[in-house]
Amino acid sequence: MQNDLETRERKTGSPRRAAASGVNSNPCGNEIQHVIERAVVGACFQGTIRSKDGQAQPQSCENGVSAPVREPVNPHRKLPSINGAGCGTAAMAGMKRFIAVMDKVYAKVLSDGDFDFIGFMAARGLSPEEMLDLLEACAARLGTDWECDACGFVHVTVAMSRLQRILTSLGQENRSFDARPCEHSALFIVPHGETHLFSVNMVEERFRLKGWETKLLLASSSGELSRLLKNAHFELVCLAWLDSELKNQVESLLHTVRMSVNREQTCVIAGGSAAELNSDWLKERGVEKVCSNAQIAVSEAERHGANRNSGHNVTETTGSLLEPLRSA
């Protein structure tokens, strides 16, 4: 299936949407800075830095170079109790290292299809999770450069194709070295008509690294979805919705989900740019949470699973899966 997804990524759609589908791209640098801070600083402090309700202010571009945006760290977030100052120093060093590696990979994504991307990242000690962070940051940067007119149609289209191939190869390599039995199962639903799947694949791969068995369905009919849901038990159903024009298809799919799953056993979440814009509408149709990135989606899925297994009631939380997918 991954080869088919790669082919679709190469052949369909506008480059602006292709580049932005990995994250919710804000003009000229906001999103790329946020992705780097979340990937590096958040990891150093064992938490996630979140923007202020996504309200970062746009910055201008000069000669195609993105102006950095510094999101404030949540003052209520608990920092490690040991050597907190050292952690901040490590975060800054980690960010510089991450940006240096990303600069090299990004330049090669734009110019060299034969470059050994995975070998390059592995030689610098990046874990599979950090490699996904780096690919996500490259996708965000590509979206930024497109918005700022620093990259043209051909460059963006070819670069997104290369990012998709790197992600596919990375996923295959991760699974060949990890034979752990899967304890959880998730179904990712993509409405018929969605053309850019990089961010969905990215999120799916993050779930796999957390020990989930995943299946991706390009839902061409509600009947196909209904048969799948009735013949297989999924702890999580995740709707990936990027194109707002597919609202009718999404409504039909959600109706099928409601009629086909036991909501005491299955958690239903959603993500993507269109999902975030229609979060209230989705919740009225049975979606329990709209998530802004894969980390939140995994956390939410695991929390709901723990609550169900312990017999607790599920509580409503706010938030908003793909960021730019921040995954596939």
Side-chain angles (χ1 to χ4, degrees):
M1 174 176 288
Q2 290 291 351
N3 289 336
D4 292 338
L5 299 183
E6 179 183 323
T7 301
R8 285 187 61 146
E9 192 73 43
R10 286 202 304 270
K11 291 184 177 179
T12 59
S14 73
R16 183 185 300 270
R17 290 179 55 198
S21 65
V23 291
N24 297 325
S25 291
N26 293 329
C28 303
N30 292 1
E31 194 56 50
I32 179 61
Q33 184 68 24
H34 177 64
V35 169
I36 292 172
E37 288 187 348
R38 176 171 53 76
V40 181
V41 183
C44 288
F45 287 108
Q46 299 180 357
T48 301
I49 291 181
R50 303 182 186 183
S51 62
K52 299 183 296 183
D53 302 322
Q55 298 299 318
Q57 296 299 314
Q59 300 293 310
S60 61
C61 285
E62 295 182 5
N63 299 322
V65 178
S66 303
V69 175
R70 302 294 179 183
E71 295 288 0
V73 176
N74 182 354
H76 303 294
R77 181 164 53 82
K78 183 179 292 186
L79 302 179
S81 58
I82 300 175
N83 195 20
C87 222
T89 301
M92 183 58 67
M95 181 175 290
K96 290 180 179 178
R97 170 176 164 271
F98 185 90
I99 292 174
V101 177
M102 183 189 69
D103 284 344
K104 177 71 171 181
V105 170
Y106 185 69
K108 290 295 186 179
V109 164
L110 290 174
S111 63
D112 188 355
D114 296 325
F115 185 69
D116 181 10
F117 293 95
I118 295 177
F120 177 83
M121 293 186 288
R124 281 144 186 82
L126 271 67
S127 67
E129 291 86 355
E130 289 172 323
M131 292 184 191
L132 291 179
D133 288 337
L134 191 144
L135 294 183
E136 182 181 356
C138 284
R141 184 167 175 178
L142 191 61
T144 294
D145 283 352
W146 170 256
E147 294 288 345
C148 298
D149 295 323
C151 279
F153 180 94
V154 173
H155 282 95
V156 173
T157 302
V158 171
M160 280 307 303
S161 173
R162 287 173 180 157
L163 286 174
Q164 180 68 54
R165 290 202 301 271
I166 298 166
L167 178 59
T168 299
S169 298
L170 181 59
Q172 293 170 344
E173 185 166 310
N174 289 338
R175 285 186 289 284
S176 69
F177 286 102
D178 188 356
R180 294 177 301 172
C182 296
E183 299 179 355
H184 308 286
S185 59
L187 173 64
F188 291 84
I189 304 172
V190 179
H192 179 67
E194 294 282 11
T195 55
H196 300 296
L197 301 172
F198 176 80
S199 58
V200 183
N201 297 157
M202 176 75 72
V203 174
E204 187 184 14
E205 188 61 32
R206 289 192 186 275
F207 268 82
R208 288 182 184 140
L209 288 177
K210 290 290 187 178
W212 286 71
E213 180 181 359
T214 67
K215 183 176 181 62
L216 177 64
L217 175 66
L218 305 179
S220 58
S221 70
S222 295
E224 179 184 17
L225 174 59
S226 178
R227 287 190 296 272
L228 179 60
L229 290 173
K230 290 178 179 178
N231 292 328
H233 169 66
F234 296 99
E235 294 177 54
L236 174 72
V237 172
C238 178
L239 171 71
W241 182 20
L242 302 171
D243 187 346
S244 295
E245 295 182 2
L246 301 178
K247 197 169 188 176
N248 289 339
Q249 291 93 315
V250 168
E251 185 163 28
S252 177
L253 293 175
L254 289 177
H255 175 76
T256 300
V257 170
R258 290 199 303 272
M259 297 295 104
S260 304
V261 302
N262 182 341
R263 295 305 300 275
E264 293 298 320
Q265 300 175 358
T266 302
C267 173
V268 180
I269 63 176
S273 53
E276 291 192 58
L277 291 173
N278 295 275
S279 59
D280 291 339
W281 183 85
L282 288 172
K283 290 176 182 178
E284 291 171 359
R285 286 154 180 79
V287 173
E288 298 178 31
K289 187 180 178 72
V290 179
C291 306
S292 63
N293 60 57
Q295 287 84 351
I296 294 176
V298 172
S299 176
E300 185 69 10
E302 292 175 343
R303 186 184 71 83
H304 278 265
N307 286 344
R308 283 179 169 85
N309 292 336
S310 63
H312 295 163
N313 293 327
V314 176
T315 58
E316 178 71 16
T317 59
T318 58
S320 58
L321 165 61
L322 306 178
E323 187 184 59
L325 81 288
R326 97 138 310 297
S327 124

